[in-house]
């Protein structure tokens, strides 16, 4: 049975009135699930708070000390961590829930209690590096989940697939020298965060997409580059950084994916998980900033995960 992990405190992160990363993103997803009737086949679970030990698997202790020291308390003004990343009084708890959701999801999958898992959380995480917050991201949620699978459950091969329109620079920086993790990413280039270039190594597969790229270029990137590496790697768990901002109706980017592309790529990744990982698959929300399109794309994604 599909489980969705979230928490009301994820709505308390307030990046500001003009910021695209808003609580309305989660509201739209939940409303679309209800309207589609899908809500009745999902088990909802509350995300726990991540622990310091779990965060230190992927983040430097000095960085975490700094984040906790500057976090504004109740009634205080929001602060800018960088030009894009804001901490409001509710941000730290939201980020702790977001990172904790991946840990919980991995535990549920490995115990056989639930599979697949979707983490509907915010703030997102894939830009957060080992010692730096950036791009709306404070803690690298998907990296925390992957490290938990490796260290707490002893897995030897974990794949992270990132189809957000922005390069998952933080995830790549954290795992670039970790042979137990295969990271596959597609992203508009050149584009924020202006990292990543075409590369294929044993554990990094970066496929840049030009502005204006369509379904054809995206599907070729997956079929010709991601899938061969995934079949060679034979992951024991598949984790997805599920960003939906490459959709043609999302003004965040200039890539022109459509609903059917998210169904198609989810099906391809689910087949890999079914073949090598006993179906173990966890997806975590990253980008997607046009609420209606985001919600519709998430429901398409989850329908495929449900099979």
């Amino acid at each position: 049975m599909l489980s969705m992990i979230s928490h009301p405190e994820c709505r308390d992160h307030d990046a500001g009135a003009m910021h695209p990363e808003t609580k309305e993103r989660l509201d739209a997803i939940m409303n679309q699930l209800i309207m589609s009737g899908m809500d009745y086949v999902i088990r909802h679970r509350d995300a726990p708070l991540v622990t310091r030990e779990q965060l230190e698997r992927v983040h430097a202790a000095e960085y975490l000390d700094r984040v906790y020291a500057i976090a504004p308390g109740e009634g205080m003004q929001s602060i800018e961590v960088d030009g894009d990343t804001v901490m409001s009084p509710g941000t730290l708890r939201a980020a702790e829930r977001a990172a904790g959701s991946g840990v919980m999801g991995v535990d549920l999958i490995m115990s056989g209690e639930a599979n697949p898992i979707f983490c509907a959380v915010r703030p997102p995480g894939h830009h957060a590096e080992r010692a730096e917050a950036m791009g709306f991201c404070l803690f690298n949620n998907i990296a925390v989940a992957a490290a938990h699978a490796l260290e707490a459950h002893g897995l030897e091969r974990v794949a992270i697939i990132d189809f957000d329109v922005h390069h998952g620079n933080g995830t790549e920086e954290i795992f670039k020298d970790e042979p137990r993790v295969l990271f596959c990413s597609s992203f508009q280039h050149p584009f924020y965060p202006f990292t990543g270039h075409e590369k294929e190594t044993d554990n990094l597969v970066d496929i840049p997409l030009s502005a204006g790229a369509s379904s054809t270029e995206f599907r070729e990137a997956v079929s010709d580059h991601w899938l061969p590496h995934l079949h060679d790697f034979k992951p024991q768990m598949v984790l997805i950084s599920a960003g939906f901002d490459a959709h043609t109706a999302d003004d965040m980017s200039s890539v022109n994916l459509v609903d059917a592309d998210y169904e198609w790529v989810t099906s391809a990744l689910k087949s890999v998980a079914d073949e090598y990982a006993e179906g173990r698959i966890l997806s975590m929300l990253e980008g997607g900033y046009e609420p209606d399109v985001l919600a519709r794309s998430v429901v398409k994604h989850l329908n495929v995960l449900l099979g």
Side-chain angles (χ1 to χ4, degrees):
M1 182 179 187
L2 172 66
S3 285
M4 178 177 290
I5 304 175
S6 190
H7 198 279
E9 288 184 332
C10 287
R11 300 178 76 258
D12 295 338
H13 165 52
D14 183 1
M18 301 302 292
H19 203 283
E21 206 289 284
T22 67
K23 64 183 180 182
E24 283 74 26
R25 301 172 66 233
L26 296 186
D27 295 340
I29 291 170
M30 299 306 176
N31 289 338
Q32 187 69 28
L33 288 171
I34 292 170
M35 288 189 296
S36 69
M38 195 174 184
D39 190 59
Y40 297 102
V41 295
I42 295 175
R43 178 168 179 181
H44 293 270
R45 301 172 186 264
D46 283 342
L49 296 169
V50 71
T51 69
R52 177 72 181 229
E53 176 187 6
Q54 290 159 356
L55 288 174
E56 285 192 3
R57 291 173 179 150
V58 301
H59 290 297
E62 296 81 5
Y63 168 69
L64 296 175
D65 290 342
R66 186 166 71 251
V67 167
Y68 278 83
I70 66 175
E74 186 175 353
M76 297 175 64
Q77 290 188 337
S78 297
I79 64 166
E80 284 192 0
V81 183
D82 73 359
D84 299 303
T85 310
V86 177
M87 289 189 76
S88 69
T91 297
L92 183 59
R93 291 280 285 195
E96 289 177 320
R97 298 289 185 188
S101 72
V103 172
M104 181 187 200
V106 168
D107 286 342
L108 289 170
I109 289 171
M110 294 304 298
S111 70
E113 187 175 343
N115 189 56
I117 300 283
F118 180 68
C119 299
V121 292
R122 56 183 293 272
H126 71 152
H127 292 309
E129 297 185 345
R130 186 171 294 277
E132 185 174 356
M134 61 184 295
F136 313 166
C137 304
L138 198 65
F139 302 142
N140 195 308
N141 307 320
I142 203 79
V144 170
H148 187 67
L150 297 173
E151 304 306 327
H153 294 281
L155 295 188
E156 297 176 345
R157 296 181 307 281
V158 174
I160 302 175
I161 296 88
D162 188 332
F163 52 70
D164 191 280
V165 81
H166 304 93
H167 180 236
N169 61 292
T171 311
E172 181 165 313
E173 187 257 353
I174 289 167
F175 290 124
K176 64 181 185 296
D177 297 318
E178 174 51 81
R180 295 177 296 173
V181 174
L182 171 64
F183 179 63
C184 299
S185 178
S186 63
F187 48 92
Q188 183 176 327
H189 183 76
F191 198 44
Y192 184 89
F194 305 103
T195 58
H197 56 274
E198 188 169 356
K199 70 169 73 73
E200 294 188 51
T201 69
D202 288 343
N203 76 316
L204 299 175
V205 184
D206 279 353
I207 306 299
L209 303 173
S210 61
S214 68
S215 305
T216 300
E217 289 88 345
F218 173 69
R219 295 191 186 203
E220 286 177 352
V222 174
S223 297
D224 297 345
H225 302 279
W226 288 3
L227 292 181
H229 284 271
L230 285 164
H231 285 294
D232 288 342
F233 187 69
K234 298 178 174 58
Q236 296 167 304
M237 180 176 285
V238 172
L239 307 181
I240 303 173
S241 272
F244 299 92
D245 41 4
H247 197 287
T248 187
D250 193 312
D251 291 338
M252 181 62 77
S253 76
S254 301
V255 175
N256 296 311
L257 301 191
V258 296
D259 294 18
D261 293 315
Y262 294 114
E263 292 179 304
W264 178 84
V265 70
T266 305
S267 179
L269 299 178
K270 185 176 185 300
S271 293
V272 170
D274 289 343
E275 183 170 355
Y276 301 112
E278 300 178 24
R280 301 182 187 117
I281 190 165
L282 179 147
S283 177
M284 182 168 286
L285 181 64
E286 299 283 1
Y289 301 101
E290 206 298 313
D292 291 340
V293 173
L294 169 65
R296 194 176 72 227
S297 299
V298 167
V299 168
K300 299 283 189 183
H301 177 62
L302 297 186
N303 264 318
V304 175
L305 290 182
L306 266 172

